[in-house]
Structures are given as C-alpha cells and as structure tokens.
Amino acid sequence: MLLPLKGITVLEFSQYLAGPYAGLRLADLGARVIKIERPGSGDACRKLTTKDLTVDGDSLLFHTINRNKESFCANLKDSEDLATVRKLIQKADVLTHNFRPGVMEKIGLDYQGVQSINPRIIYGEVSGYGDKGPWAHKPGQDLLAQAVSGIGWLSGNKNQDPVPLGLAIADMLCGTHLAQGILSALIRRKKKNIGAKVQVSLLESMIDLQFEGLTTYLNNGRQMPSRSEIANAHALLGAPYGIYQTRDHWIAISMGEPEQLSEALALPELNVSISEAFVKRDQIKKKLAEHLKTNTTAHWLERMNSHHLWASEVLNYDQLLQHPAFKALSIPLTVSRESNNGTGSPVNVTTTRCPIRINGRTLSSPRAAPTLGADTASILEELQ
C-alpha cells in the first residue's frame, strides 16, 4: 500500500511525549521521521521509564512512542553539527520541537531562521502553556497541565479530592493536535506552495478536551461542575450515567429513557422524568447502585440489551486482550531492532499499532525505535 505521507521528511527535535507522539503518527502514515538527538544521551525519554521497564538500554516508553523512526546525532551548540542540521532542513518538509521559548532563537533555528533556509517548511512547535503570558516558562509536564486545566474536578465522586486522569492525556492530545495542524499545513502547501508555523500547547489541548464542560459553564451562569456523590462518570449528566458494582463484577450504564430503564431493571424508582434524572441524580443513583448488587453483571446486561439500552461490562486489561472483539481488530504489534549490545541478536517489543485504517488496511511497521545515532552515518552519506 502506498502510504499517504510517503516522500515527506520530518525532522523531530522534540523530546518526551507530545512532539514524538505527533511524529509517531506521521511515521505510521508513511513519513520519514528523523529524530535529531544530542550525542551521548539523546532524547531524554530514553531514560523516562514507566514501571521502571527498559529494553536494550532504552525505556519501554521510548520504544512505544518512537518506533518506525531514525536517529541522527548532532550537537546543536557545535558549529559544524549545526551546519549539517541546516543542510537537513533544506531537504525536509516538516520540523518539530518542544524546547522552551527562546532556545531555538539562540541557535538560529526559530521559525524565521528555519524559514530563511527552507521557505516551504512546516514548523511545528509544542509548548506547555503557549509562548506568552505568566506561564510561558512554566515546565510543560502532563500532570501539571492537568492540574491547572480544571479537569481534576471532573473525575471521581463528589467528596473526593481532585482526581487526575490516569494516563498522559495532555501529551497524547497535544501530539494529536500537532499532527492535525501539520497535515492541514501540508495540504495548504500543496495548493499554495507556502510553509507555516503550527503551534500547540498542553494547556490548550486540555482546554479543548473540556469544550463541552467549559461551554456549559460559560453559558449557564458560570456554575461549577458538580460531581455525583456516587458512580460519577460525567459531572454534567444525570442519572443513571456511571459505573456500578453488581453481585459479581461491575457494569457501565450510559444512555436510556428512565421509563425503559425502570422496566428493564424492575426498579419503579427509576421511572422519573428527564428533568428529575438531573435534579435527583444522586438519590436515583444510590437506589440503582443498591439494586444492581442483587444480581450479576450478565443478568443485568441481558435485561438491558433486551430493552435496547446502552450498557457494558467493565473489563481490565487481561479480560480485554482475551475478548474476541479485541482479537478481531489485530491491535498488538511486535517491533524489532538489532540489539544495542553488539551481539546482533534481535530485540522485540510488543506494543499497539496505529489506530487508523486506509482502504480497509491497518498501518503497521515492524521497525522498532532506533538506537541512539543509528542512522547518523547513512544520513551523512545522503548529504554528500
């Protein structure tokens, strides 16, 4: 299959997660992504571990987000290396970075500097909180961005402390937005033959994620979201929306007319108006929670499915991976590279494939994340 971004070259000066996540998606779509890394240490994500897991000297996290890329070592403070990087920029289509404001300006690789080298380049810039205002130099880290975005008051129940989302949601969303901006700029360049500067930030991505809640707040007398006292899953929705314990497991219940739900569950107290489902949300949820404990998840799912109501079992990772629905999607992807220890033996990592399909085909490459500087020599030869 001819991938959509075949022939596009991306220079990735980005580290950690947000910028490299955009690069991962562009690579999945066929772009050649070259990580520009500092000699000796490389992308700091190589040492940023989850569960203290490393593979072949690099963190497992680095492997997951940098598969299918190349690595080129260059010291940007060295004039010769910088001159080589400028040659790469001349041939590139896209450049991304997530340095703090002022860093790229000092070395002449800010947008204006890069545009003078390659006027048609798409320049992607990731920051924590934008390049203006009192937070411009604040560390752009996922949890910190979540903390100031207000999202901590949406998860968990009413009487709980602020609850962050249990994954790097700010980084992943910001990287997604960066990829979207780059792709749109590439389309415009094809039509108008001009480059662009694409800017995204962790905070803006977190705010966009909450457009539903913030729009409600701004148009509803600026009332703060109020989490349910029990089974909270969406602070702005009424009963029964939430996850509940059953006799043997858990069940998620989303949408459905209260009358239908009352009939399906044989619980007359649920037969209320839509308005009451909001006003009496916690009282209704409490009765529902008590009732659902009297029978099994399978029992309640059968009852609800027969009434065409939206409900689901709640799975953990083990259960998900064993489920036929998961297996039908062929999501696991094994990537491989030659070991960094000089033995020549392959090192394998099992991760997840790109979630996009094109013409019915999944996008998957077996190429693992590169060892530091693995492609420096071959790229230098290309520049000769």
Side-chain angles (χ1 to χ4, degrees):
M1 178 174 59
L2 181 62
L3 295 173
L5 296 183
K6 182 73 172 180
I8 297 295
T9 298
V10 180
L11 301 182
E12 184 176 277
F13 291 78
S14 300
Q15 298 190 82
Y16 293 114
L17 301 185
Y21 186 72
L24 171 65
R25 194 57 65 237
L26 297 176
D28 282 333
L29 291 166
R32 180 187 188 187
V33 179
I34 303 172
K35 294 184 67 65
I36 308 299
E37 302 190 76
R38 65 172 63 90
S41 57
D43 181 345
C45 188
R46 289 183 182 272
K47 300 302 178 185
L48 181 65
T49 59
T50 51
K51 293 287 289 185
D52 199 27
L53 293 174
T54 61
V55 177
D56 195 36
D58 292 319
S59 73
L60 183 62
L61 178 60
F62 178 85
H63 279 276
T64 62
I65 208 163
N66 289 289
R67 57 176 174 76
N68 202 19
K69 299 178 184 178
E70 300 174 37
S71 174
F72 181 86
C73 282
N75 179 0
L76 300 181
K77 296 180 180 180
D78 180 88
S79 59
E80 290 187 10
D81 281 8
L82 188 57
T84 301
V85 167
R86 289 176 180 273
K87 291 180 181 179
L88 285 174
I89 291 172
Q90 288 177 350
K91 298 176 177 292
D93 299 285
V94 178
L95 180 154
T96 69
H97 82 86
N98 65 336
F99 293 115
R100 291 192 186 186
V103 172
M104 291 295 261
E105 284 83 354
K106 288 181 181 179
I107 57 178
L109 295 184
D110 57 320
Y111 179 53
Q112 286 72 27
V114 168
Q115 197 179 37
S116 68
I117 302 169
N118 183 347
R120 298 175 68 254
I121 200 151
I122 309 303
Y123 189 96
E125 184 175 275
V126 180
S127 67
Y129 311 89
D131 59 359
K132 297 178 181 177
W135 289 348
H137 293 273
K138 183 181 176 71
Q141 193 275 333
D142 190 276
L143 179 60
L144 305 187
Q146 287 196 47
V148 299
S149 74
I151 202 169
W153 299 103
L154 300 182
S155 297
N157 292 333
K158 187 171 185 178
N159 296 323
Q160 287 185 266
D161 296 331
V163 178
L165 295 177
L167 68 168
I169 187 67
D171 284 316
M172 300 302 99
L173 278 177
C174 191
T176 299
H177 293 156
L178 178 60
Q180 290 173 347
I182 288 170
L183 291 173
S184 67
L186 284 170
I187 292 172
R188 189 183 72 166
R189 189 184 72 176
K190 181 69 174 179
K191 294 180 177 180
K192 304 291 186 180
N193 199 34
I194 56 176
K197 182 179 184 179
V198 178
Q199 292 175 283
V200 294
S201 74
L202 301 183
L203 180 57
E204 287 167 292
S205 290
M206 290 305 297
I207 290 172
D208 180 72
L209 174 65
Q210 301 173 83
F211 76 91
E212 180 184 15
L214 281 167
T215 301
T216 302
Y217 173 78
L218 293 169
N219 291 275
N220 189 35
R222 303 211 168 193
Q223 297 181 45
M224 294 294 293
S226 178
R227 297 177 289 180
S228 300
E229 291 179 1
I230 186 171
N232 177 68
H234 195 305
L236 302 177
L237 295 183
Y241 203 89
I243 291 178
Y244 300 86
Q245 190 171 7
T246 64
R247 181 193 293 172
D248 64 344
H249 198 47
W250 298 83
I251 187 171
I253 302 176
S254 60
M255 305 298 189
E257 293 291 334
E259 182 180 357
Q260 288 179 291
L261 187 65
S262 173
E263 182 181 344
L265 300 182
L267 185 62
E269 291 92 332
L270 296 185
N271 191 3
V272 299
S273 67
I274 296 294
S275 178
E276 286 180 297
F278 281 93
V279 175
K280 298 179 179 180
R281 178 182 64 182
D282 289 339
Q283 300 97 302
I284 294 170
K285 282 189 167 186
K286 184 176 181 180
K287 292 177 181 178
L288 178 58
E290 293 171 352
H291 184 66
L292 290 172
K293 289 180 181 178
T294 65
N295 218 314
T296 65
T297 294
H299 170 81
W300 296 125
L301 283 175
E302 183 180 1
R303 294 292 298 267
M304 295 189 71
N305 289 337
S306 69
H307 286 75
H308 307 291
L309 294 167
W310 291 4
S312 175
E313 66 269 51
V314 179
L315 305 182
N316 59 30
Y317 280 172
D318 287 335
Q319 294 166 327
L320 170 65
L321 266 62
Q322 294 303 316
H323 200 285
F326 177 86
K327 293 180 179 180
L329 296 175
S330 301
I331 289 176
L333 171 67
T334 298
V335 293
S336 181
R337 80 181 190 194
E338 186 177 313
S339 174
N340 197 27
N341 61 19
T343 63
S345 57
V347 173
N348 297 325
V349 171
T350 301
T351 181
T352 57
R353 64 163 174 81
C354 176
I356 301 168
R357 294 173 187 263
I358 295 182
N359 294 333
R361 294 182 60 179
T362 59
L363 309 180
S364 57
S365 168
R367 185 177 186 176
T371 56
L372 181 59
D375 306 284
T376 302
S378 61
I379 292 172
L380 286 174
E381 284 185 15
E382 292 178 33
L383 293 176
Q384 298 301 318

